[in-house]
Amino acid sequence: MNDIISFIAENKSRFIDELVELLKIPSISANPKYANDMDIMAKAVQKSLLDAGCDLVEICPTKGYPVIYGEKIIDPKLPTVLVYGHYDVQPADPIDLWDSAPFEPTIKKTDIHPDGAIFARGACDDKGQFFMHVKAVEYMIKEDQLPCNVKFMIEGEEEVGSESLADFLVANKEKLRNDIILISDTGMISNTQPSITTGLRGLSYVEVEVTGPNRDLHSGLYGGAVGNPINILTKMIASLHDENNHITIPGFYDKVEELPKEERAEMAKAPFTLEAYKKALDIDAVYGEKGYSTNERNSIRPTLDVNGIWGGYTGEGAKTVIASKAYAKISMRLVPNQDWNEITNLFTKHFNNIAPKGVTIKVTPHHGGQGYVTPIDTIGYQAASKAYEITFGKKPIPQRSGGSIPIVSLFEKELGSKTILMGFGLDSDAIHSPNEHFGIWNYLKGIETIPYFYKYYTEMKE
Ligand code: BES
Ligand code: MN
Ligand code: MN
């Protein structure tokens, strides 16, 4: 594979330009206003896979946005790698906080990315990362280095819960048959310390509505005499954590697996400086569940967070009013063994139980999914580890992430395959936030590393 370096050097500016073109398309799955851009994006993904050398690339319709399926089968007897990624992105809001327009990709240097980073919504999550695979496969096909079969499955609804993909998996088991699933949609510790994500958290996302009186009321005439839905909602939310920041929902922790001391000690060896962490976020203290470190709190422990809260008057000036309704969106990050449907039910029951008289409660579940942990004693993990080791000159550390890719647990259930999470993003890349970016070094390093995974995996599989 020594010519991969020169292949990248020769094609570097084209690789960047092609990614920039994809980043100009506002493929926001959450907002139906962008349905046409989703269509344009789907066609662009199809074209990129054909250009890379896939023999067959289909835009597969679903009840939502289409899944792009592509394949290059060189010999059915050889192993098959299935690459998963998503072409949809999060909404760019709040737009005002972007230094450059979210869909006008801009290259700038940063302290962490001295070679420059591409700033755009989706740069890291996940256009830049799935496109590394397209370019790596292009290299392997063009230079006759593809050692096994490859299939692509790039979906358009990851950021809204992958609802259609679940049906797609069930309906296309044979077509999707593979030996291992490969995903770049996570991060690594730093550019000098690679890591492989070995765990993802599950998710239960709910919306709550508290209804009091049948209309908004004058806060002077009725204040103090009628339950105020906003006061009540905030009090109910506050009661969901105790003084140790444990979640108070009965049964919430019943299935949470306590990690053995040895494994926690192993985790604690990953490089991390609390001071730098606080400084990067401009906070003077961290916060969280008693008895656990910051890295444990955001990976092996479940959490409950309000993601949005609204109600009443929020416009200019003051309006003296008691609103009839108050609302909140709440996410619970779950760890393996916690079942997201069960947790959603426990939440719903508890939230109804703690409501005082005088209000009614409605809990609407949104999407969710199970967590995932990958073993490291598999050839898939070993091949990924060797691939990073050769291109980074350093052995990657296994690391459990706090984020969620709910479909990964379904891959195992429906397709029977394990997933390897080879992420090349950094936590500081600001995914889902204003000024999301992806380092050019990271992008090219990904393209360089991926072919080694194919090589080692195929060798070890034989
Ligand atoms: N790529 C992210 C998940 C991620 C990022 C995992 C970094 C680990 C490290 C994915 O696109 C995402 O944002 N997932 C959502 C869940 C989804 C159901 C909306 C999340 O984690 O909030
Ligand atoms: Mn993603
Ligand atoms: Mn995302």
Side-chain angles (χ1 to χ4, degrees), residues 173-186:
K173 286 191 182 179
E174 183 48 37
K175 182 191 206 126
L176 299 172
R177 198 147 57 103
N178 66 83
D179 295 278
I180 192 128
I181 295 172
L182 187 58
I183 305 181
S184 293
D185 192 24
T186 55

Side-chain angles (χ1 to χ4, degrees), residues 205 208 229-235 237-238 306-312 314 326-330:
Y205 199 106
V208 298
I230 300 178
N231 292 5
I232 290 169
L233 173 62
T234 51
K235 198 167 163 183
I237 286 172
V306 177
N307 291 232
I309 182 161
W310 70 103
T314 56
Y327 308 82
K329 292 186 194 275
I330 296 174

